[in-house]
Amino acid sequence: MSTKEEMAEIDQMEAGSNQPSVAPVGYNINRAKGASTMGVQTVEVSSASRPGAGSLMSPAPALSVATGTNDVEKGATVQKSGDQWGKNMQRWRNDNIDIGKADPGGPGICAFILTLFSFLLILATFPLSLCFSVKVVQEYERAVIFRLGRLLKGGARGPGIFFIVPCIDTYRKIDLRTVSFDVPPQEILSRDSVTVAVDAVVYYRVHNPTIAVSNVENFSHSTRLLAATTLRNVLGTKNLAEVLSERETISHTMQSSLDEATDPWGVKVERVEIKDVRLPVQLQRAMAAEAEAAREARAKVIAAEGEQKASHALRQAAEIISESPGALQLRYLQTLNTISAEKNSTIIFPLPIDILKHFIKPDKKDKK
């Protein structure tokens, strides 16, 4: 292999993605101090140390090659990788509690003696001890085991069969299924000084049994109290109209706040729903009277508009009938037909008004 090919191979390995640069066998790669600042790295290649280089090949002098690299981009990539690595490590620490930090000395000689005695007792009563040592948890359950008060490594056990030492081990079962509970009705003063009673429904589940047992005394009771407090805090910043119309937004805000607060307890809040909003009786009556008045006003406006349209229609009909004298007689006959169909015993004689004009005394003004 020529010197150019060897240098190209080294450059390719140095420019590899996300993987640390590893030199091939027989090559020594040393970065000069301060080279990363200037974007230059020094590579020393020694062909004498390659495998298979015997007496047939004389040792060649070391080569110094300066290659330019984009250290700014590499630094940004390394920084992002470091941040992600830090987040993963923090999450791993939350999931796997190191009991040795609480007690660096570890269990003492007394704990060792008790453990040994318990194992000997299990062996002495072997057939009978299985009834107390073998435990079973369901698919939706996990068991958190404590030995002499210390959390066992490896996290929660299950599902299936697991073993405990009866004398020194205690365990607690945690249900991983989704649990729902009703938030008691809360008397809340809204931002516009209206008192309302609101209740909600919260759905949550345990996503980390070890933290749920170790970090909080009673995660279920704590979640219930926190849900009631969060409901009061969120609705206290809303008007009555917003509480009645923006239930979905309020539910989403509560879910995000509860999920963030209960994450250190190993609890995941999946859903929050506003169940009912109850108003005071006096406010209900006032709102009902307001709605009734609004409906009556709309009804009067609609009736007035109908009368206006009817008057225009009657005016047009009168103008059409006045143009033809026989049209009025036909209207009389149509009216008689309608009355005779409903009330047969009623007899109506139409009397033209023109006949009565001869019997009406003319006024003095008319004579003049």
Side-chain angles (χ1 to χ4, degrees), residues 94-97 137-146 151-152 154-159 171-177 205-217 219 263-268:
N94 292 336
D95 295 343
N96 302 276
I97 299 176
V137 291
Q138 304 296 329
E139 182 69 28
Y140 52 84
E141 294 178 335
R142 297 295 184 271
V144 181
I145 304 176
F146 294 88
L151 183 65
L152 289 184
R157 304 298 195 272
Y171 72 96
R172 180 178 174 184
K173 289 184 180 180
I174 301 297
D175 197 333
L176 302 183
R177 293 177 294 182
R205 62 179 176 85
V206 177
H207 70 88
N208 194 320
T210 304
I211 296 179
V213 174
S214 303
N215 288 9
V216 62
E217 180 181 2
F219 64 87
D263 186 66
W265 301 343
V267 175
K268 170 68 176 178

Side-chain angles (χ1 to χ4, degrees), residues 63-364:
L63 298 179
S64 297
V65 182
T67 60
T69 58
N70 193 349
D71 289 342
V72 177
E73 296 180 358
K74 286 187 177 182
T77 305
V78 170
Q79 184 177 3
K80 292 180 180 179
S81 301
D83 295 341
Q84 185 66 28
W85 181 82
K87 293 179 181 179
N88 293 336
M89 287 299 297
Q90 184 65 31
R91 187 179 303 171
W92 182 85
R93 291 192 188 99
N94 292 336
D95 295 343
N96 302 276
I97 299 176
D98 190 1
I99 303 301
K101 292 182 179 180
D103 186 8
I109 187 64
C110 183
F112 178 76
I113 294 174
L114 289 176
T115 304
L116 180 61
F117 176 76
S118 300
F119 278 105
L120 292 177
L121 183 61
I122 291 174
L123 293 177
T125 60
F126 174 66
L128 186 61
S129 60
L130 292 178
C131 299
F132 302 95
S133 300
V134 179
K135 302 295 181 181
V136 179
V137 291
Q138 304 296 329
E139 182 69 28
Y140 52 84
E141 294 178 335
R142 297 295 184 271
V144 181
I145 304 176
F146 294 88
R147 176 165 297 172
L148 294 175
R150 299 168 61 89
L151 183 65
L152 289 184
K153 295 182 179 180
R157 304 298 195 272
I161 300 175
F162 65 95
F163 298 90
I164 64 171
V165 181
C167 300
I168 59 176
D169 286 353
T170 58
Y171 72 96
R172 180 178 174 184
K173 289 184 180 180
I174 301 297
D175 197 333
L176 302 183
R177 293 177 294 182
T178 300
V179 180
S180 62
F181 65 89
D182 294 330
V183 180
Q186 303 294 317
E187 293 288 339
I188 300 169
L189 183 64
S190 62
R191 192 170 61 180
D192 51 354
S193 301
V194 178
T195 304
V196 293
V198 183
D199 54 352
V201 182
V202 179
Y203 300 86
Y204 75 94
R205 62 179 176 85
V206 177
H207 70 88
N208 194 320
T210 304
I211 296 179
V213 174
S214 303
N215 288 9
V216 62
E217 180 181 2
N218 189 338
F219 64 87
S220 178
H221 183 64
S222 300
T223 303
R224 294 171 187 268
L225 294 179
L226 183 62
T229 306
T230 305
L231 179 63
R232 298 175 66 91
N233 294 337
V234 172
L235 294 182
T237 60
K238 303 291 183 180
N239 295 328
L240 178 61
E242 295 176 350
V243 173
L244 297 176
S245 61
E246 299 180 0
R247 293 191 178 188
E248 185 176 355
T249 304
I250 295 173
S251 300
H252 181 70
T253 304
M254 285 189 58
Q255 188 269 335
S256 301
S257 179
L258 283 174
D259 188 24
E260 182 179 358
T262 57
D263 186 66
W265 301 343
V267 175
K268 170 68 176 178
V269 178
E270 295 181 341
R271 192 177 183 87
V272 178
E273 292 293 339
I274 301 298
K275 188 176 180 181
D276 189 17
V277 178
R278 291 190 292 273
L279 303 177
V281 178
Q282 296 179 355
L283 183 59
Q284 292 180 8
R285 292 176 180 174
M287 294 178 66
E290 181 182 1
E292 185 178 359
R295 287 194 297 268
E296 290 179 356
R298 287 195 299 267
K300 290 180 180 180
V301 171
I302 293 173
E305 291 177 354
E307 291 290 339
Q308 183 181 6
K309 293 179 181 179
S311 61
H312 286 295
L314 290 174
R315 177 182 178 182
Q316 294 177 359
E319 291 177 355
I320 294 173
I321 292 175
S322 63
E323 294 177 357
S324 176
L328 185 59
Q329 188 66 25
L330 293 176
R331 184 60 181 169
Y332 286 157
L333 295 176
Q334 185 179 4
T335 304
L336 289 174
N337 187 19
T338 304
I339 295 174
S340 63
E342 295 180 358
K343 298 179 179 180
N344 298 328
S345 61
T346 303
I347 301 174
I348 297 176
F349 294 98
L351 182 64
I353 300 177
D354 296 338
I355 300 175
L356 300 177
K357 287 183 178 180
H358 301 285
F359 300 98
I360 298 175
K361 294 181 179 181
D363 296 336
K364 294 181 180 181

